[in-house]
Amino acid sequence: MTGDHGSRLDLPQRHMWSHADVKEYLDEKRVRIYGIEIMENASPIMQYDRETGVVKFPFEAECEGGWSGSAFIFGNEGQGLSSKQREICDEFLFIPQNRGGSGRSEDNLAGRDKVGSASMNVACAAAVVLQAYS
């Protein structure tokens, strides 16, 4: 046994040969694919309405759209999602951060952002997104 103490044996697994195979399989299962990435067309994982005090999550619309579940793709801390990963995503979400900087990946990669970072440890990002989803 390794550090996971055998828990990997408790989860169903399916090997896919390509990103297109993943997309086809999840579409058949009516699973919406979310890419977690800071980009122009991404939505925040939650929105707080100060007037009503209501917090809304993008996942709430899943039921209305006939989706049966969600899959999340997290990019690495440095480069984010690959172009093949982006191609199969149905929607993009980001985690709002108040650390300064523009939050735009292309600015950070070009060295134009000297006061903040669009990067978050992928394990921390997964914990935040999964907590918001649950």
Side-chain angles (χ1 to χ4, degrees), residues 72-89:
F72 300 98
I73 301 178
F74 297 87
N76 69 43
E77 291 102 345
Q79 302 299 316
L81 297 174
S82 71
S83 59
K84 289 188 180 217
Q85 290 171 321
R86 287 183 184 148
E87 287 174 13
I88 67 169
C89 293

Side-chain angles (χ1 to χ4, degrees), residues 37-59:
E37 181 78 36
I38 297 173
M39 53 195 305
E40 291 294 325
N41 62 339
S43 302
I45 62 166
M46 65 179 151
Q47 293 180 329
Y48 177 70
D49 185 331
R50 292 176 192 242
E51 292 181 20
T52 64
V54 174
V55 177
K56 291 190 177 191
F57 299 91
F59 319 114

